[in-house]
Amino acid sequence: MKRFEYIVADIDGDYAHLKQLDGESDERKLVARALLPPEITEGTKLLYEWMSYTIME
């Protein structure tokens, strides 16, 4: 399965806007915060793999 790296660009209530780090587009992905680790803040780097998000160190 493919891996994707994102950064939390903006938090808007119950949703977070994610920007793909290795993508060439400036398009953002809207994700429910319930699907993300609870300790995220703007600027947190995330790894999406096997249908789940984890914080990258």
Side-chain angles (χ1 to χ4, degrees):
M1 181 156 245
K2 199 165 184 181
R3 299 167 40 135
F4 297 97
E5 295 179 4
Y6 293 98
I7 189 163
V8 179
D10 185 37
I11 295 176
D12 185 17
D14 290 335
Y15 296 91
H17 298 267
L18 306 182
K19 182 178 183 318
Q20 192 170 345
L21 291 176
D22 54 354
E24 298 171 1
S25 172
D26 195 32
E27 201 168 318
R28 294 182 180 186
K29 180 177 184 178
L30 185 64
V31 178
R33 289 186 62 191
L35 300 174
L36 302 172
E39 59 273 9
I40 65 161
T41 59
E42 291 180 6
T44 301
K45 291 182 180 178
L46 298 171
L47 176 66
Y48 179 75
E49 184 176 43
W50 296 104
M51 298 180 66
S52 68
Y53 293 91
T54 55
I55 294 178
M56 294 174 50
E57 298 298 325

